[in-house]
Amino acid sequence: MTIQEKINGAGTRPASLLPSGLTLNDHRNLILKRTEETGHYNGLETLEFKESDPIGYERIFSKLRAGLVNSREVAKKIAASPIVEQEGELCFTLYNVAGDCIATSTGIIIHVGTMGAAIKYMIQNNWESNPGINPGDMFTNNDCQIGNVHPCDIATIVPIFHEGNLIGWVGGVTHVIDVGAVGPGSMSNGQIQRFGDGVQITCRKTGVNDTPLRDWLHESQRNVRTPKYWILDEKTRIAGCHMIRDLVEETVREEGIEAYERFATEVIEDGRRGLVSRIKAMTIPGKIKTVAFVDVPYAHEDVAVPSPFAKVDTIMHAPCEITVKPDATWRLDFEGCSRWGWHTYNANPVAFTSGIWVMMTQSLVPTERINDGARYATEFRLPKGTWTNPDDRRTAHADAWHFLVSSWSSLWRGISRTYFGRGYLEEVNAGNSNPCNWLQGGGINQEGEIHAVNSFETAACGTGACAVKDGLNHAAAIWNPEGDMGDIEIWELAEPLLYMGRTIKTNTGGYGKYRGGLGFETLRMVWGSADWTMFFMGNGYMNSDWGLMGGYPAATGYRFEAHNTGLLERISEGKSLPLGKDRDPGQCELEKHLGPDAQVKRDKQCITTEAIFENGDLYLNYLRGGPGFGDPLDRDIADVENDLNQNFVLPAFAEKVYGVVISQDKDGAWSVDSEKTVLQRGNIRQARIARGTPTRQWMESERQRIIDKDASVQVQQMFASSFYLSERFLNEFKTFWDLPASWELKEEELGIPMFGAKHHMDLSELPDVHPVIMTEQ
Amino acid sequence: MSNFTKKQVSDLVKGSLDWDTLHMMLSMPKDKERYANYMSVLQDQVSWDDKIIMAFGPHLYLAETTADKSLVTKCSCGHDFGDYRSNWKLNALVYVRDDEEKMQEVYPKLMAPDTNWQVYREYYCPTCGVMHDIEAPTPWYPVIHDFQPDIPALFDWLDLPAPVNA
């Protein structure tokens, strides 16, 4: 936690905004010191207000929480963007004077932390002196180097005053469709540095007297492709913030300022205790090790980037050691992570730590009382120089989610082991799908306007299996607990893309005793555009989820796009059309309904940059499934039969993986022979024993591969990058494989560009900039 | 706090618990007694006498032996993977899906990882062939020791006497 002792411009500071006479920075520092010294937020060893007047305490909480949720629901109706209005990609959060979250609305609650980091940045960098913090001000932030997840999350922050004193802040965030990055769409590819990642706003004062400044309105709208959506999103945020500010003022009138301010501190200590209590009630103390990976296949010809040093295949590496301590606090240590890279998937530490609560509110702390207290009960360690704590101010972050959600998937697995061990099977989750593909692109749309799109169908992927039931099909995404694929009719209004089909995606849920939820697929035909591009964004060569306790990972992604399809002619001639249902990609079903000159790309290159799409061209948007739980041979026979009859699994894989003996009647219905299946499953178990190798014996052969440097360049680059940043990871690796002391692996051996590996410049090296640091690094 | 019967916990383990009760389990504060009920249900499922202390998976347990009270990782079939402090996977059988043909045994073409990037390691019980875990790392990745429980601290949380050799 940063305690900023001296701030520039202190000699010119205005009258204090606080009755104590302290600067905001001194006020925050006092809280941090008291917290550090006592282990309790602001030194609160007892919750006097809550204990002496529990009804009054709960009355304030309920009023604020209900008001936050209500403001979100009302304000989102102002937005025209389907991302906000359909998918609910917005959130409002109330903070105390120090920028610590008191309560939050529903929605993309990762921004509990990101907007808090922006407030802390303003406090720590003396915004009260210049540009000043006054009643009626508005500040806008989307700077990823302050803690934002990606530039498309635009936050409006409004200070709240009472009788001339600052008593808190309210922040509202929406995910906008476009921020004017090199690639169109909110989470685009193509750019590899901050300087192409779209407009970056650093806690800028953008409004006074409750009115947006004219220069801000003119400048911001012309910096993005979709100004209509942009301005309505801004109105959404301002309206919500002002509703919540009114609510706080009303609460202060009713309850008194003293009660409000005591509440605004105690509720955070209450939140800290809540997490400790849940850890003790649900988990098992000890050490859990887990890891996640993401493929970054940038050497491919369909990835066009401006700088040659970015044209390399690399792998994101996110190992994690979770320590659940005897005092029921916990520590998450990401020692060994790989380096940041020349792509848009880098993440700020705040994005990482704040985002974790999105998933934890779905299991460990399933409460409306999520606030910054949970963070104070958690130790994070995110080593500097890694992809989640870059040491270079050039990094791009447009799709930080790609790495973040992947690394979090392993945390589900890790913590679920403790739920399972104690018997809380109902809480187990094998992981989350990597929520993708992200269909993005832009150009001139069907209205003749400059446009950009990011299809949020991704908000409804398959979920991970539980230890007592299958994952949900096409239901959710880790970053938004209120997953929704959106209405076809709305997407067709927003995008020049007709739906040829939307159907459940066969074989996408990871197999298991309980299978992962299935994803879905939509086949889109470009229609009505003038000039149009699109690209793909997802995992293909690798999985980031794993499956749990014998369950398989979900299926990986693949790409299908078709050009010069002849579809417009086939439509006029009444011929058959591709209607989705690409159930077995090896069978190339869609190609059977295209013209003879069609040019098809069907492969595993699931990250691309802008490609030109003409009217009549096709794009398959495949949304991923979730991982499975338990040995598939334990799956209930009736459930496999249902999977077959619902097209959830292909017959060949039901036989091979689930070990069922099946037959199909004349109407096409599948049935499973129970007796033969029992025998077959016994045979498969025996076959496993026959083909398996004792692990220690296999380790001898794998060790030799390591000594021989027998692995792809991207695998070696990943290890070399992690070894360079972490001597501990290197030593553990060498110890495990019993490698000679002289063995080493350096990126220099690999013959690939290493820009950024040795030479970099951190944000903190800029003059008069004091970054907010809230994790061990 | 809700209390649930051993029968309800047994149904939970079997996957046959009714939704209303399951929903109550999800939404109510956790029942501290679950641990004892769960261990009892698991013990009833196995044919051996060593005392189950914890579940590592649907077929994998931490058990206290009747012979010398040592703590071992044990398969439901009775296979002993050794001291629970060591990684049981090192005493299992492993099958590595490290080429396209092996991957396409479990996923259709284009829907499995490229083995130049990622492999699947399936860990089987050497005695009964049950699959206890699948890892999906890059080649070269060390075998992961998933979970090392702090048994004394857990029993302190549970207000129960800890196993003597924890």
Side-chain angles (χ1 to χ4, degrees):
Chain A
M1 203 76 66
T2 320
I3 295 182
Q4 185 68 36
E5 297 290 357
K6 293 175 68 177
I7 47 181
N8 294 345
T12 59
R13 77 172 50 137
S16 173
L17 300 175
L18 306 176
S20 63
L22 294 173
T23 64
L24 296 181
N25 195 52
D26 287 343
H27 172 82
R28 179 166 175 261
N29 285 345
L30 262 183
I31 291 175
L32 294 178
K33 280 180 181 165
R34 288 175 187 146
T35 306
E36 192 175 322
E37 285 166 9
T38 65
H40 299 274
Y41 182 72
N42 199 28
L44 291 173
E45 296 186 21
T46 57
L47 302 178
E48 286 180 14
F49 181 30
K50 183 180 180 184
E51 287 160 12
S52 64
D53 183 9
I55 293 176
Y57 181 91
E58 292 300 329
R59 193 168 56 233
I60 294 178
F61 178 82
S62 300
K63 187 178 179 77
L64 294 177
R65 164 69 178 176
L68 284 157
V69 174
N70 179 59
S71 300
R72 174 179 179 269
E73 294 304 315
V74 172
K76 80 177 182 184
K77 298 300 179 193
I78 296 169
S81 157
I83 295 175
V84 175
E85 193 271 334
Q86 285 272 300
E87 306 299 328
E89 284 285 303
L90 77 166
C91 162
F92 291 94
T93 303
L94 182 61
Y95 300 89
N96 65 16
V97 171
D100 286 329
C101 166
I102 298 170
T104 191
S105 71
T106 48
I108 43 172
I109 57 177
I110 186 173
H111 295 289
V112 164
T114 64
M115 291 189 288
I119 295 168
K120 291 170 180 107
Y121 187 88
M122 290 192 278
I123 291 173
Q124 199 163 294
N125 287 274
N126 200 13
W127 249 236
E128 64 200 282
S129 169
N130 178 2
I133 299 168
N134 301 302
D137 282 353
M138 301 176 209
F139 298 90
T140 302
N141 184 66
N142 77 334
D143 192 332
C144 299
Q145 289 172 351
I146 287 182
N148 196 20
V149 181
H150 45 173
C152 62
D153 288 335
I154 311 291
T156 298
I157 296 169
V158 170
I160 305 173
F161 284 81
H162 173 73
E163 295 180 350
N165 294 317
L166 184 72
I167 61 169
W169 310 74
V170 55
V173 64
T174 61
H175 180 127
V176 303
I177 281 183
D178 185 83
V179 283
V182 166
S186 62
M187 296 159 60
S188 57
N189 288 324
Q191 66 271 21
I192 59 163
Q193 300 190 32
R194 174 186 171 95
F195 314 110
D197 224 14
V199 61
Q200 304 269 345
I201 311 138
T202 306
C203 295
R204 175 171 162 186
K205 186 183 279 195
T206 54
V208 296
N209 298 324
D210 290 346
T211 306
L213 293 167
R214 192 173 295 277
D215 65 330
W216 159 250
L217 292 175
H218 280 238
E219 179 185 310
S220 62
Q221 291 182 64
R222 69 189 60 185
N223 276 338
V224 301
R225 293 178 178 86
T226 50
K228 280 193 298 193
Y229 291 122
W230 172 272
I231 197 65
L232 286 169
D233 268 21
E234 172 145 3
K235 288 177 187 288
T236 298
R237 297 190 301 273
I238 294 172
C241 285
H242 285 175
M243 286 175 71
I244 294 159
R245 186 184 60 185
D246 291 347
L247 173 76
V248 171
E249 290 168 353
E250 183 182 305
T251 305
V252 169
R253 279 197 300 276
E254 290 174 354
E255 306 288 344
I257 184 64
E258 187 186 351
Y260 179 80
E261 292 195 318
R262 287 172 75 190
F263 171 84
T265 309
E266 280 197 16
V267 73
I268 296 172
E269 169 61 12
D270 203 10
R272 191 196 68 78
R273 295 179 187 195
L275 176 62
V276 169
S277 162
R278 291 283 292 186
I279 287 175
K280 191 168 185 178
M282 292 174 65
T283 72
I284 294 173
K287 281 194 190 305
I288 306 145
K289 287 196 171 181
T290 186
V291 65
F293 308 92
V294 178
D295 50 322
V296 185
Y298 270 36
H300 193 276
E301 61 187 1
D302 286 348
V303 178
V305 290
S307 307
F309 51 81
K311 288 292 293 178
V312 289
D313 288 343
T314 56
I315 295 173
M316 181 283 270
H317 176 215
C320 179
E321 182 176 276
I322 304 171
T323 305
V324 179
K325 300 180 181 181
D327 68 358
T329 60
W330 62 339
R331 175 181 172 85
L332 286 78
D333 187 344
F334 290 83
E335 177 76 23
C337 280
S338 52
R339 192 177 64 247
W340 58 268
W342 301 107
H343 48 62
T344 54
Y345 322 124
N346 304 294
N348 182 280
V350 175
F352 194 101
T353 59
S354 188
I356 277 182
W357 305 116
V358 183
M359 55 185 284
M360 290 305 160
T361 51
Q362 296 170 60
S363 83
L364 191 58
V365 275
T367 163
E368 59 187 9
R369 290 172 188 259
I370 190 73
N371 62 31
D372 258 321
R375 179 170 59 79
Y376 282 100
T378 306
E379 293 173 31
F380 287 101
R381 183 164 177 278
L382 302 168
K384 192 75 175 171
T386 61
W387 63 267
T388 187
N389 192 355
D391 56 5
D392 196 293
R393 65 184 181 85
R394 291 171 292 179
T395 52
H397 295 239
D399 192 10
W401 281 115
H402 190 43
F403 281 5
L404 289 172
V405 297
S406 301
S407 60
W408 296 337
S409 184
S410 76
L411 303 186
W412 285 115
R413 275 200 317 278
I415 204 73
S416 286
R417 292 186 191 279
T418 71
Y419 303 150
F420 189 87
R422 272 180 82 163
Y424 299 123
L425 276 60
E426 70 275 15
E427 300 289 350
V428 168
N429 180 8
N432 54 269
S433 65
N434 182 330
C436 57
N437 172 58
W438 293 97
L439 181 165
Q440 295 176 91
I444 303 293
N445 69 3
Q446 69 272 38
E447 311 290 341
E449 295 184 341
I450 297 170
H451 195 48
V453 301
N454 185 1
S455 168
F456 261 68
E457 289 189 306
T458 330
C461 288
T463 67
C466 179
V468 296
K469 61 184 180 63
D470 292 343
L472 299 173
N473 298 333
H474 45 76
I478 176 62
W479 27 263
N480 188 339
E482 301 171 87
D484 188 336
M485 64 179 69
D487 296 334
I488 284 176
E489 293 78 6
I490 298 295
W491 292 125
E492 286 188 338
L493 281 174
E495 300 161 342
L497 305 168
L498 299 182
Y499 278 81
M500 302 299 285
R502 186 191 237 188
T503 189
I504 201 159
K505 184 71 176 161
T506 304
N507 256 82
T508 48
Y511 316 109
K513 177 181 181 181
Y514 300 105
R515 61 160 172 74
L518 294 136
F520 70 109
E521 59 186 336
T522 64
L523 185 64
R524 312 292 297 272
M525 185 183 80
V526 182
W527 179 248
S529 73
D531 303 319
W532 196 249
T533 68
M534 285 191 286
F535 51 95
F536 289 79
M537 178 54 245
N539 62 351
Y541 298 98
M542 299 184 85
N543 253 317
S544 52
D545 62 272
W546 274 32
L548 182 64
M549 298 177 182
Y552 277 93
T556 59
Y558 68 94
R559 165 178 68 151
F560 172 87
E561 64 177 89
H563 305 268
N564 197 26
T565 59
L567 277 183
L568 303 184
E569 292 79 12
R570 290 181 72 88
I571 290 169
S572 63
E573 292 166 7
K575 291 184 176 175
S576 67
L577 301 173
L579 299 174
K581 300 180 182 173
D582 195 37
R583 289 192 173 122
D584 183 348
Q587 298 300 310
C588 301
E589 173 63 26
L590 304 180
E591 286 88 327
K592 295 171 186 169
H593 309 279
L594 302 180
D597 300 325
Q599 296 165 339
V600 173
K601 293 187 177 183
R602 183 186 275 277
D603 57 27
K604 296 192 69 63
Q605 184 65 29
C606 293
I607 292 180
T608 61
T609 49
E610 281 186 282
I612 295 172
F613 279 72
E614 306 288 351
N615 289 328
D617 287 357
L618 290 173
Y619 182 113
L620 184 72
N621 195 22
Y622 156 21
L623 296 315
R624 312 294 197 257
F629 174 90
D631 188 339
L633 295 184
D634 287 343
R635 184 162 180 76
D636 188 280
I637 285 171
D639 288 339
V640 182
E641 194 169 275
N642 183 57
D643 288 346
L644 283 161
N645 286 312
Q646 299 260 17
N647 286 313
F648 291 171
V649 66
L650 292 167
F653 297 95
E655 291 174 315
K656 286 187 283 193
V657 181
Y658 287 120
V660 290
V661 178
I662 56 177
S663 59
Q664 195 173 25
D665 69 16
K666 59 182 172 46
D667 297 322
W670 291 98
S671 58
V672 178
D673 186 313
S674 302
E675 289 182 15
K676 289 180 181 172
T677 294
V678 170
L679 291 174
Q680 178 64 3
R681 287 178 166 181
N683 293 338
I684 290 175
R685 289 191 184 93
Q686 289 305 310
R688 287 173 175 173
I689 294 170
R691 74 182 179 222
T693 304
T695 302
R696 292 179 197 276
Q697 185 179 323
W698 164 79
M699 284 168 58
E700 291 297 316
S701 60
E702 190 74 355
R703 176 179 180 274
Q704 192 58 49
R705 288 186 65 191
I706 295 168
I707 289 172
D708 295 342
K709 303 271 175 84
D710 176 12
S712 62
V713 169
Q714 59 270 24
V715 168
Q716 296 196 56
Q717 191 277 339
M718 180 199 85
F719 279 110
S721 155
S722 288
F723 293 157
Y724 181 75
L725 289 171
S726 173
E727 191 173 348
R728 189 171 102 199
F729 179 71
L730 170 63
N731 290 337
E732 287 175 359
F733 181 89
K734 290 176 72 171
T735 301
F736 179 83
W737 293 112
D738 191 24
L739 297 175
S742 60
W743 186 90
E744 61 179 9
L745 177 67
K746 294 183 181 298
E747 280 185 84
E748 287 87 337
E749 303 170 32
L750 304 177
I752 54 174
M754 290 176 51
F755 277 49
K758 301 285 170 65
H759 308 289
H760 37 78
M761 182 181 175
D762 190 45
L763 178 72
S764 59
E765 296 177 60
L766 290 179
D768 192 29
V769 169
H770 307 289
V772 176
I773 300 166
M774 296 196 287
T775 56
E776 194 182 325
Q777 56 182 16
Chain B
M1 185 177 295
S2 303
N3 289 312
F4 299 101
T5 64
K6 181 179 171 183
K7 169 73 167 58
Q8 287 171 320
V9 175
S10 175
D11 289 346
L12 177 77
V13 172
K14 282 189 261 179
S16 59
L17 187 63
D18 65 279
W19 171 246
D20 287 345
T21 309
L22 184 61
H23 188 261
M24 197 183 301
M25 283 182 172
L26 281 162
S27 58
M28 299 294 287
K30 293 304 177 194
D31 48 321
K32 199 170 176 182
E33 300 73 24
R34 180 79 64 90
Y35 171 79
N37 276 328
Y38 183 47
M39 292 303 122
S40 178
V41 167
L42 297 181
Q43 198 76 49
D44 291 346
Q45 291 181 347
V46 296
S47 58
W48 32 268
D49 294 330
D50 295 343
K51 183 181 177 187
I52 296 176
I53 303 295
M54 188 182 292
F56 286 150
H59 292 281
L60 198 65
Y61 310 108
L62 194 171
E64 182 184 51
T65 63
T66 53
D68 60 3
K69 301 278 185 189
S70 61
L71 298 175
V72 298
T73 303
K74 200 160 174 166
C75 181
S76 55
C77 74
H79 183 90
D80 186 340
F81 286 94
D83 189 294
Y84 85 102
R85 296 170 189 84
S86 61
N87 190 353
W88 64 269
K89 291 178 191 168
L90 302 185
N91 296 321
L93 297 177
V94 66
Y95 179 70
V96 185
R97 297 190 186 276
D98 54 5
D99 64 36
E100 189 175 359
E101 186 182 352
K102 290 176 185 169
M103 279 292 184
Q104 288 186 16
E105 287 289 311
V106 289
Y107 276 104
K109 186 176 181 182
L110 294 178
M111 293 178 80
D114 181 322
T115 53
N116 286 314
W117 298 70
Q118 184 173 36
V119 297
Y120 288 171
R121 297 177 187 161
E122 301 177 358
Y123 292 95
Y124 309 138
C125 171
T127 299
C128 70
V130 75
M131 183 156 61
H132 287 304
D133 202 41
I134 302 173
E135 292 182 335
T138 62
W140 293 16
Y141 212 82
V143 176
I144 293 173
H145 194 174
D146 300 305
F147 185 27
Q148 300 168 69
D150 181 342
I151 303 295
L154 172 65
F155 278 79
D156 183 44
W157 288 6
L158 293 168
D159 294 321
L160 294 172
V164 292
N165 287 316

